[in-house]
Amino acid sequence: MIATSTKVATDPLLARFARVRALTETLAAGLSDADATVQSMDDASPAKWHLAHTTWFFETFVLRDHVPGYTLFDPRFPFLFNSYYEAEGARHARPRRGMLTRPALAEVLAYRAAVTKTVLAALPGLPPEIAALVELGCHHEEQHQELLLTDILHLFAQNPLEPALFTGDPKVPVAMPGPIGWIERPGGMAEIGHDGQGFAFDAEGPRHTVLLHPYAIADRTITNGEWAAFIADGGYSEPRHWLADGWAWVQAEAIVAPLYWRQDDGIWTRFGLDGRRPIDPAAPVTHISLYEADAYASWAGARLPTEAEWEAAAEQHPDGGNQLDRAEAVEPRPGRPAWFGDVWEWTGSAFRPYPGFRAAPGAVGEYNGKFMSGQFVLRGGSCATPRGHLRRSYRNFFYPHQRWQFTGLRLARDLNV
């Protein structure tokens, strides 16, 4: 028997599951079958694959494993839509996801509808430990909602027509936010990591003690206008500000500005989900790599914060701000941004396990632990992060050259040095 709308409305997990599933489909509603099939680079996935993979997650780890008598929607789909779970066997190669012209978008949406219906029916009778997998699946799908938007943005940016996914609001000029203010922190012992209350991914814990030296952290992120000044001062042509790997990347890729920026007749523009528009100098800069963030910090006479410094300083700030609420042309907003939202903030910390970290048993244990190599932590969320998904302890992570996400930076500096 399918859960009634009343049951969904009164059961928080059922309501969350239904809401998450609906938002994903709303975000993709403006796509054609061709839009949803093409893969613009190895790091990105087609929209159709995101829609199917998040469904495969629920079908595999909830329905197949814990609902007696469940039959797979299509026994070919696990091979197509498993991402990286070695325990789940062979899978279609990630760089070739754009070759999946079949199943068509309509069939993927039918797959989603069938799995959603079955999970809604099964969830009220599942034991707590299995319901916890549904909660994990919801947070997993919210991660893919952000990836869905950023991957569509990257795809559309490759099209000379530069199509817009959403109609953006008229741009109203906003005054620059004013000079950076510095929040001074005394240092000492601090507790970081998830405190065990509510949901968290495994990489957010265990909670542990760290030693912080006295430091100051900026009260806002760097703006487009400030970044344009970095460019004008030769920021991309002066090797002394760059890490060796970053300088090699700049030279090899001919990087001269953030991703999606273009200069025509001396005017910088950016491409977004609402098409190409002039950059807003008061808005947070975004789509920069760790290499670029680190070079800017060096140019500015500062550095990137560590993730422990960021989390300790964020303790006094609410987790509101500019985040994803509905299908719209998300972008960083001008003005003095909140601590959470707008842009993911690069830190100088490697994505490594906290003391005492243990991966979960089984396939879900592959979720984070095996990626703790060669990547850096970002904090704070972005304009494309679904509201309710973030926590102060949340750790995002990417390789230092990657910048197709909404990534920016906040400066830090040492005190008493």
Side-chain angles (χ1 to χ4, degrees):
M1 177 178 177
I2 300 301
T4 65
S5 58
T6 300
K7 182 66 175 176
V8 170
T10 58
D11 185 307
L13 184 54
L14 279 172
R16 181 177 180 83
F17 172 77
R19 182 175 66 253
V20 167
R21 298 290 284 173
L23 178 58
T24 303
E25 290 154 23
T26 302
L27 293 173
L31 301 177
S32 67
D33 194 283
D35 291 334
T37 299
V38 178
Q39 182 177 18
S40 58
M41 63 171 174
D42 290 356
D43 286 336
S45 295
K48 189 166 63 177
W49 188 89
H50 285 296
L51 292 165
H53 166 70
T54 50
T55 301
W56 167 87
F57 188 98
F58 287 110
E59 183 181 49
T60 300
F61 298 124
V62 177
L63 300 182
R64 184 200 67 183
D65 291 352
H66 300 290
V67 175
Y70 177 77
T71 301
L72 294 178
F73 181 88
D74 188 318
R76 301 171 299 175
F77 282 7
F79 178 83
L80 298 181
F81 302 125
N82 176 11
S83 55
Y84 51 71
Y85 295 89
E86 299 286 350
E88 289 297 321
R91 58 202 176 276
H92 186 69
R94 177 174 181 169
R96 296 182 62 81
R97 289 171 184 170
M99 304 300 290
L100 298 177
T101 58
R102 305 291 178 89
L105 177 59
E107 188 174 355
V108 168
L109 292 174
Y111 175 40
R112 285 184 64 87
V115 169
T116 296
K117 180 179 179 180
T118 308
V119 172
L120 285 170
L123 185 54
L126 294 176
E129 63 272 19
I130 310 308
L133 289 174
V134 176
E135 185 175 23
L136 172 63
C138 289
H139 286 268
H140 166 257
E141 182 151 345
E142 287 176 331
Q143 290 180 315
H144 278 271
Q145 288 169 349
E146 181 159 8
L147 289 168
L148 174 68
L149 289 175
T150 52
D151 290 358
I152 292 170
L153 174 58
H154 190 270
L155 171 65
F156 282 10
Q158 313 314 307
N159 188 327
L161 299 178
E162 295 189 318
L165 180 63
F166 302 113
T167 301
D169 296 329
K171 302 304 178 187
V172 178
V174 174
M176 292 293 289
I180 287 174
W182 292 94
I183 302 169
E184 295 190 353
R185 306 280 300 183
M189 307 304 292
E191 294 284 323
I192 69 166
H194 191 252
D195 62 6
Q197 302 299 310
F199 177 86
F201 290 110
D202 57 0
E204 296 176 52
R207 191 164 177 81
H208 60 288
T209 303
V210 295
L211 172 63
L212 300 178
H213 296 282
Y215 69 100
I217 189 166
D219 66 349
R220 63 168 176 82
T221 54
I222 297 303
T223 65
N224 288 323
E226 290 166 331
W227 198 271
F230 169 66
I231 296 174
D233 196 43
Y236 283 90
S237 59
E238 175 51 72
R240 67 189 178 91
H241 296 308
W242 293 81
L243 297 169
D245 286 347
W247 184 244
W249 171 78
V250 163
Q251 297 297 296
E253 302 296 330
I255 305 297
V256 298
L259 185 63
Y260 308 132
W261 281 36
R262 188 177 75 206
Q263 192 175 42
D264 297 306
D265 298 324
I267 304 298
W268 284 109
T269 64
R270 60 84 177 141
F271 180 71
L273 290 167
D274 57 351
R276 183 161 293 281
R277 297 171 181 251
I279 66 164
D280 187 333
V285 68
T286 189
H287 301 301
I288 59 171
S289 67
L290 171 85
Y291 295 141
E292 292 166 285
D294 189 83
Y296 181 95
S298 173
W299 174 79
R303 60 173 174 82
L304 299 179
T306 68
E307 66 168 320
E309 289 172 338
W310 190 99
E311 185 172 330
E315 186 174 13
Q316 305 302 318
H317 298 272
D319 60 1
N322 178 22
Q323 299 170 43
L324 177 67
D325 293 297
R326 58 190 178 277
E328 61 180 347
V330 298
E331 63 175 326
R333 293 176 183 166
R336 216 168 192 92
W339 208 269
F340 293 85
D342 278 310
V343 292
W344 286 103
E345 300 173 23
W346 284 108
T347 74
S349 297
F351 181 56
R352 292 291 294 151
Y354 284 160
F357 170 81
R358 295 290 184 273
V364 295
E366 299 183 51
Y367 200 99
N368 284 313
K370 70 181 186 180
F371 297 111
M372 292 175 170
S373 173
Q375 305 196 64
F376 280 76
V377 174
L378 302 96
R379 293 298 194 110
S382 83
C383 53
T385 307
R387 192 172 301 281
H389 183 71
L390 293 171
R391 296 162 296 282
R392 187 165 59 93
S393 60
Y394 196 106
R395 307 173 79 199
N396 201 355
F397 52 94
F398 285 101
Y399 290 100
H401 69 280
Q402 292 175 317
R403 59 181 191 158
W404 89 108
Q405 298 300 303
F406 287 96
T407 49
L409 80 154
R410 181 187 303 266
L411 298 177
R413 63 189 187 191
D414 299 318
L415 296 178
N416 303 329
V417 175

